[in-house]
Structure formats: structure tokens, C-alpha cells
Amino acid sequence: MSDRRSSDLRTLLLLEWRRERRVPQVLPTMLLFSIGAFVLFRFGLQDGRVEGPLAAGVLLVTTLLAALLGIGRLWAAEEEEGGLDAFRLTPASPTALVLAKALALWTFLLALHVVAVPAFLFLLAPHVDVAALPRLAAVLVLTDLGIAVVGTLVGAVAAVARSRELLVPLMAVPLLIPAVAIASEALAPLLERDAGSIEPRWWLVLALYDAVFVAVAWAVSDGIVED
Amino acid sequence: MSVPPTDAGAVRAPGASRGADPGPDPAVALDGLVRRRGERLVLRDVTLDVAAGTTLALLGPNGAGKSTLLRVLAGLLRPSRGGCRVLGHELPRDRRALGGRVAYLAHEPMLYRDLTVRQNLEHRARLLRVAPARVEALLEATGLERRAGFPVQALSRGLTQRAAAAATMLADPDLLLLDEPLANLDPTATARLRDLLAPTSPTAADPTRARTRIVAGHDPDAALAEADLVLGLRDGRVALLAPPSAITDVEIGELYR
Amino acid sequence: MPHTRRLVPLTIATVVACVVWIAVVVLVAPTQQVAGVDEGVRSKLTFLHPALAIITIAAFIVGGVFGWRHLSHDRPLDDLRAYVAIHLGQVFCVMALVTGAIWGKAAWGVWWDWGEPVLVSFLIMFLLYATYQPMRFAIEDPERQARTASVFAVTAGIFTPVCFGVARLTTNFLHPQPLNDPGGSFGAEAGLAFVLSIVAIGILFITLWHLELVAKATRIRLRRVQRDVEGEEAVPLVARASSPVTL
């Protein structure tokens, strides 16, 4: 049974990647938006070199806003092109669909960060210590997971509604404030001129936040996929 | 989720589920089915038995509830009241057990527009636990081999409908729900699809067995010609239920009045 | 009709609880002697604001629980229950925000303080739950509306404690005595008044929840009876639902 579910999960995840590869929509949009935002901050902060909490805030808020663009598209095809109806006529598990969506969004966000974080460091924070980068990456991986899972839930709820594009930011932003708050606490010391260390509790809290919403997504997946 | 025993293998054993349900159990049994959309009654008190292997023609003016009835039978909408048994499974409770045995060809093709025809079919086949060879067989049967690499959005209306029909037939379903399958198609496409969606089709695992079909449409003559039983819906009520031989033009006219 | 019989006893209990609570707060509970008028306001609010805050959180969690029940048992009444709990939770949330701001003005001389985790969490939750109705009524099909609203209710209901935990961790504890922990330095009378405030506001919430539930259920059933008696066409459909319509 779980074997079946993991093969469904693989099938569905491959579909998301294949669609993005055939018609790249989400990734280029998120990437261009992020770079644009960094350039904007550079001017908005007047020759802005950012460090510490300010740098963490700029990076995380840009990530969040970029993610909103991806969240809005995530379930669009399922609603508009009947993908969800087709899925419900198969014996595949709803949990697999919801998890595949979350994993797809997670990988898109990670791919975004592979390009956007170097751009951020180059444009806004060239002082950051190379030794801090692995920890920076680890925090972003956990943050992206949280954004991806919450984004999947919000995207699924919004996709049903008429005013999808308006609802996504309204619902996602409050739900993601805690994730951004924790990640900001964790990242701020890394982005100082002399990189500090992360308090261990932030790792724990960030992982807990992710775990809670993974559990929620798992639990409500039937409710999302059913009529 | 519980998986019916017939789906135990990665690929469904041909004919395994068929021998199991002999004559007496009808493919579809509705008893006072009511379906509401909010406060509006879309289906009122529909009672109906469709024996396995028969073709039921579903007639009625726009908004009579034809599509809604098909969606309820597909397990996509829940009955609001009344009994609804499909292939021996009570809906909505056991709708998961139907997975793959009921196929629904809707107005919209239910295909991903960005992906190619083959990618769409392969994806659906994997979710339906159907062998990949089946995809090739259906591409051939629908005459889409040469266009299998085209994205669905590049296809004409007729070709899209053929691709959708191919996807519908992937799992070799026991119950076929067809919503105006031949609307707006040219004669060639019509002929091809009619063969593919016929009660006994050469691509089926057991070509001699007739599958149960429920076909909604607006063409009474075509419906009467191929149906074993005709159901006329009007305002969500059963207005007509009889074999085609017993139906007069007056009754058909009354239905669309 | 669900819960109709409970309305009268609940109303009596609410009146009694509220009278006792107000009497104890006004007559018995000590007004701290440290400062002037402001301290008086602050002391009294200690027996209102935390209770409102606690009941708001409880309302949102109850909304999540009923949302979960609706998803697993598929009974429309559970969706209505979740809807009413969240709707009342929103009202209590606004009251908690306002009383919290007044409390802050009295205690620290500012209307708003980003260092106070309860206030910050309430702002976040207010923002989140403010999208509940716009989301809900943007979905036309009533069943999908109910199911999607339940997904929202469960997600947001679990988010509620998470939000409080995180706000607590990430605000920097400027104030030694957080709002929801007033018992510490107070005497036994204050403790009694505090417990009474939670009981009174809690019963008030339960009564209002029953009242709204009965009112909405009655309206829905009245329309059904009307349709049965006068025929389907005689009763116009509600053009835009202002509450769940499936029951």
C-alpha cells in the first residue's frame, strides 16, 4: 500500500517537473522577481549594503513574495484543465497528490535560491563570511519547506475560489509570518559582518513549524482532493 | 484507502473483475436519488436500474441534470439523498473502491494542455496502474500516433476529443459515462470515436463482453439507434424511461418542449 | 433542531456568571495601590482582556475541531458549527485587540507594543481569519465551499497555538509580567476574579454560539419547509449566501 503511494508520489512529482520544464512558468517568474527586488532594495536603501536582521529581512521577505507567485500557479491547472477531476477517477491516493505539490514547490524554491542567494550576496551583502554559507543554506532549506507546505494548502484553498489571485497573498502572508520571524532570528547572526552562530532553539522551532504543517497537509489532503 | 482485490497487481488482470459479478447485480442502481446544488434541486427522485452490459441513452434539454447525473455516477459529486449503487459499490461511501473501473468522458478534455498527448496518457496510465503498452494501443486505435508528440493545446477540437477518449479508455472501464462524446466532430472523427467507445471494442481485454454505457446527448435519433434503454430527464426528474422501440416521436417532442 | 433546548438554561447561566463576575471584579478584587486612575483601569482590564484572549483562541481551535469533524464525517452541521465558532472568534479577537491596546496604554503608556507577544499574535490571527469570509463566499458550489472552509479552519486552528508559541519566542520580553499571567503577584481574591472572568466569558461565548447556530439552522430549515409546502419555485434562491446554506 505505501509502496503504491510512493509510486503515485513519484509519478505526480515527475509530472510537476515535466510541466515546468516544457513550459517554464513558475521558476523564471520567481527568479526574475527576486533579482528585481534585490536591485530595488539596492536603490531603495540608497547604495544599500545590508547586514544582520535587515539583510535577513530583505532576503526572507523577497523569498516569501516570490513564493506567492508560485503558490498562485500551483493548483491552477488542476482547476482549469480538469486535472483534479481526472485524478479523482483514478485509484491514486489524495495524500500523494498534496505531498507531490508540496515537494514540487519546495524544489522550485530551492532551485530559486540556488540562483537568488548568490545574487543577493553579490548585490546587497558582499561582506558575508563564506564559512557561514552552509548554515545559511540549511536554514533556507528548512524555511523553504515551511513555505512550500503552507503554500500548497493555501494554493489548494484559493484555487477553488473565484478570486484566486487575491486570496493567495491574503491567506499565505499571516500563515507565514511565524516562519519568516523564526528564519529571520536564525539568519540574522549569519549575515552580520562578523558571522555569529545560530541559537540552537531556532533550528528546533523551524523544524517544528515545518513538521506541524506537513502533518496538517497530510491530514487534510482528502478534504482538498474530494469534490 | 482500501484497494479492491481486483487491483492487486500492478496491471489489472484482464477479465478478472468481470466474472465476479454475474447477471443479477445491476451496473447502476439508483433509488430516489436527489442531488442539490446549494438550495437548488438538480436531480429529483431519480430511480433507475441499468443492467450490466446495456447502453442507456440520456436525453433531455440543457440544464435537465444530465451532466450532474453523470458526475454523481462517476463519484465526482455526492448524492444529497437516496441510494446510489455503482458496480456494486454504495456511493458516496465506497467511491474510492471504484478507482479506474468507471470512466467519464466530459465536455472538457481533462488533459494538461501544456503536455503532449503521450505524456498525458502515460501519466494517467501510471495513476490507473495500467501497463504502458496500453497507451500505444490506444494511440493507434484513435489514430493519434503521428500527433502523440503534440501538446494538447495545439490540437484541434476533434483531435483533443480523440485524445480525451483515449485517456478515458485506458483502464478498460466496466462503466463508461459519456457526455456528448460526438458533439461538434467531423464524420471521420465521429466514426473513429464511435468504434472506440462502442459497447464491445477491439481494444478491450475481453472483446466479446459488452460494457455498460451511459451516453448523454442531444441527438434523439442517434440515441434511439444505439441504446437499449432511454432515460429522458426534465428539470431533474425522470420524464421518460423505456426501451427505444416503445418510444414515440411525440414523447421525444414532449421532452424537449 | 440542534441545541434549541439548551438555550434557556445557558442564558440563565450566562446572566448569573456575568453578574457574579462583574460584582467580584468591582467590589472584591483589589485595585492595586501603586498608582492613580490608570492603575485602576489596568487592574479591571486584567479581569477582561486575558479572558477574551483565551476564549478567542479556544474559539479558533474549536472551529478547527469542527472543521476536522466535517472533513472526516461529512455532516453539513459540523461545517455550520465551525463557521459560527470562527465568526464569533473574530468578534472576540477584535475585542481582545482593543482591550489589549487599552491595557497597554494604561500599563505602559503606549497603545501598541511590538514586544508584547499576545498582542502581536492577535494581530496575525486577526489578519488570517479576516480572510475566512472572503475565501468562503468566493466559492460558488456550496459543498466545495464547506469542504474548503473546513480545510482552512483546520489549518488556521492548528496555526493558532503555533503562532502564539512563535510570537512568544521571537518578541523580546520587554515586560516582566505578560498579559495572560496576572495571578502571580495578586492575592486570592484576584485569582478568584480571574477564574470567574474566564468562566463568565466562556459561558457567554457558548451561549452566543448556540444562539447563532440555532438562528442559522432555523432559517435554513424554514426555507426547506417553505419549499416543501409551497413548491420549489415559490421560494427564491438566496443570491449570495451570507452563511453556509447546506444543512
Side-chain angles (χ1 to χ4, degrees):
Chain A
M1 185 64 245
S2 64
D3 198 33
R4 197 45 84 61
R5 191 176 290 174
S6 64
S7 93
D8 284 344
L9 181 62
R10 203 166 49 239
T11 305
L12 292 160
L13 188 55
L14 278 173
L15 178 85
E16 297 294 323
W17 288 338
R18 186 166 290 153
R19 281 180 36 213
E20 184 61 23
R21 208 184 61 203
R22 274 197 70 88
V23 184
Q25 252 182 344
V26 174
L27 263 179
T29 318
M30 294 201 299
L31 193 60
L32 285 174
F33 173 82
S34 298
I35 308 281
F38 293 146
V39 174
L40 190 65
F41 275 117
R42 169 101 210 190
F43 287 101
L45 299 171
Q46 298 190 3
D47 188 30
R49 286 270 182 274
V50 292
E51 49 188 89
L54 182 58
V58 167
L59 180 58
L60 289 167
V61 171
T62 304
T63 301
L64 172 64
L65 295 178
L68 292 181
L69 300 172
I71 294 169
R73 293 306 306 165
L74 194 61
W75 290 88
E78 309 305 328
E79 284 299 323
E80 290 164 7
E81 298 167 26
L84 204 53
D85 278 348
F87 180 85
R88 277 153 50 195
L89 288 165
T90 71
S93 132
T95 317
L97 179 63
V98 173
L99 291 186
K101 290 279 179 195
L103 284 176
L105 186 55
W106 192 25
T107 52
F108 293 158
L109 288 170
L110 291 177
L112 163 75
H113 275 153
V114 168
V115 183
V117 170
F120 167 76
L121 296 175
F122 175 73
L123 289 169
L124 290 165
H127 62 271
V128 170
D129 193 355
V130 180
L133 289 184
R135 279 174 294 160
L136 180 90
V139 172
L140 286 178
V141 167
L142 282 179
T143 313
D144 286 348
L145 177 59
I147 295 178
V149 176
V150 170
T152 303
L153 289 170
V154 167
V157 168
V160 188
R162 261 173 289 135
S163 43
R164 179 184 311 146
E165 289 76 13
L166 306 177
L167 281 173
V168 165
L170 285 184
M171 285 192 285
V173 166
L175 283 169
L176 287 169
I177 288 174
V180 168
I182 306 162
S184 173
E185 297 274 1
L187 283 182
L190 299 180
L191 296 171
E192 292 288 2
R193 208 159 277 279
D194 305 306
S197 58
I198 303 177
E199 280 183 61
R201 61 172 168 159
W202 300 126
W203 292 109
L204 184 69
V205 181
L206 201 51
L208 262 174
Y209 179 91
D210 292 354
V212 164
F213 282 101
V214 169
V216 173
W218 190 288
V220 301
S221 54
D222 280 12
I224 290 174
V225 176
E226 288 301 309
D227 47 296
Chain B
M1 196 188 85
S2 71
V3 172
T6 48
D7 277 29
V11 179
R12 281 184 44 208
S17 60
R18 326 250 130 83
D21 40 19
D25 200 14
V28 173
L30 306 180
D31 182 18
L33 175 78
V34 173
R35 164 70 200 178
R36 285 182 175 280
R37 189 174 189 275
E39 296 198 307
R40 210 162 72 81
L41 277 172
V42 187
L43 293 175
R44 320 178 189 208
D45 205 17
V46 177
T47 301
L48 172 73
D49 275 353
V50 182
T54 52
T55 294
L56 174 79
L58 196 51
L59 295 176
N62 290 324
K66 300 191 298 292
S67 297
T68 305
L69 179 58
L70 291 182
R71 287 180 69 82
V72 169
L73 294 176
L76 295 175
L77 289 177
R78 286 148 195 256
S80 308
R81 224 176 333 142
C84 177
R85 281 178 81 78
V86 175
L87 301 175
H89 296 287
E90 193 68 36
L91 295 185
R93 202 191 55 213
D94 297 336
R95 63 196 177 284
R96 288 284 176 71
L98 288 177
R101 293 183 64 199
V102 177
Y104 172 44
L105 182 59
H107 281 283
E108 64 276 18
M110 304 203 291
L111 299 168
Y112 294 105
R113 286 196 287 264
D114 296 338
L115 294 183
T116 65
V117 176
R118 180 175 272 116
Q119 283 172 332
N120 264 299
L121 292 183
E122 283 172 350
H123 173 70
R124 193 80 63 83
R126 262 182 241 121
L127 291 183
L128 286 165
R129 296 94 164 87
V130 169
R134 186 88 184 131
V135 172
E136 298 308 319
L138 279 163
L139 283 173
E140 199 180 326
T142 43
L144 284 170
E145 307 105 311
R146 277 179 35 241
R147 294 189 176 84
F150 285 30
V152 170
Q153 61 187 357
L155 299 182
S156 67
R157 171 86 178 79
L159 290 171
T160 310
Q161 183 71 355
R162 279 200 238 170
T168 309
M169 299 308 290
L170 271 174
D172 192 13
D174 298 325
L175 174 61
L176 256 184
L177 305 169
L178 307 173
D179 201 346
E180 300 182 30
L182 307 176
N184 306 322
L185 294 186
D186 63 52
T188 351
T190 306
R192 266 195 192 277
L193 279 200
R194 184 165 283 154
D195 287 348
L196 182 73
L197 302 171
T200 54
S201 76
T203 60
D206 171 9
T208 55
R209 176 201 57 113
R211 52 169 65 89
T212 317
R213 304 189 311 155
I214 299 184
V215 188
H218 278 301
D219 183 357
D221 297 334
L224 294 182
E226 64 171 6
D228 304 310
L229 189 65
V230 175
L231 171 66
L233 281 180
R234 194 174 161 80
D235 291 334
R237 281 199 192 82
V238 177
L240 181 66
L241 181 61
S245 54
I247 292 176
T248 61
D249 286 352
V250 180
E251 282 173 315
I252 294 286
E254 194 69 3
L255 189 64
Y256 283 94
R257 174 174 49 93
Chain C
M1 195 64 64
H3 312 317
T4 317
R5 276 158 209 273
R6 300 190 204 152
L7 271 180
V8 172
L10 269 174
T11 311
I12 295 167
T14 310
V15 171
V16 172
C18 286
V19 167
V20 172
W21 160 54
I22 291 168
V24 168
V25 168
V26 172
L27 300 175
V28 186
T31 303
Q32 278 183 327
Q33 302 301 315
V34 202
V37 188
D38 273 358
E39 275 306 302
V41 172
R42 184 188 146 182
S43 293
K44 298 292 183 249
L45 273 179
T46 307
F47 306 113
L48 174 64
H49 169 73
L52 280 173
I54 290 169
I55 298 304
T56 305
I57 298 166
F60 288 153
I61 293 176
V62 165
V65 170
F66 281 123
W68 173 249
R69 283 205 357 196
H70 176 245
L71 286 181
S72 43
H73 298 298
D74 199 29
R75 279 191 307 244
L77 186 58
D78 283 330
D79 174 52
L80 188 62
R81 286 180 173 132
Y83 173 86
V84 174
I86 288 174
H87 177 218
L88 285 173
Q90 291 168 326
V91 176
F92 279 60
C93 185
V94 172
M95 289 198 292
L97 269 176
V98 171
T99 53
I102 299 172
W103 205 96
K105 181 71 182 164
W108 322 304
V110 285
W111 291 106
W112 187 261
D113 188 337
W114 288 104
E116 168 50 54
V118 176
L119 280 185
V120 174
S121 327
F122 267 85
L123 181 64
I124 298 174
M125 305 230 306
F126 171 75
L127 289 175
L128 175 62
Y129 277 96
T131 59
Y132 180 71
Q133 276 91 351
M135 176 274 295
R136 193 162 180 133
F137 299 124
I139 302 171
E140 304 205 8
D141 184 87
E143 285 183 14
R144 295 204 77 180
Q145 186 193 95
R147 209 174 309 282
T148 310
S150 292
V151 170
F152 180 97
V154 171
T155 309
I158 291 175
F159 173 76
T160 302
V162 171
C163 179
F164 270 83
V166 171
R168 189 130 253 232
L169 280 172
T170 51
T171 48
N172 33 20
F173 297 105
L174 279 179
H175 308 287
Q177 196 190 55
L179 291 184
N180 58 354
D181 183 23
S185 61
F186 288 2
E189 293 93 343
L192 174 73
F194 183 66
V195 171
L196 270 176
S197 71
I198 295 176
V199 170
I201 304 267
I203 295 189
L204 177 68
F205 175 84
I206 294 171
T207 309
L208 288 174
W209 183 75
H210 278 85
L211 185 67
E212 195 178 342
L213 196 60
V214 168
K216 288 211 161 34
T218 308
R219 204 178 58 204
I220 294 168
R221 278 163 204 231
L222 177 69
R223 292 176 61 85
R224 181 182 299 173
V225 170
Q226 212 177 340
R227 277 196 304 266
D228 285 350
V229 174
E230 299 177 21
E232 286 291 333
E233 284 72 26
V235 186
L237 302 174
V238 275
R240 184 179 173 283
S242 61
S243 67
V245 289
T246 46
L247 198 63

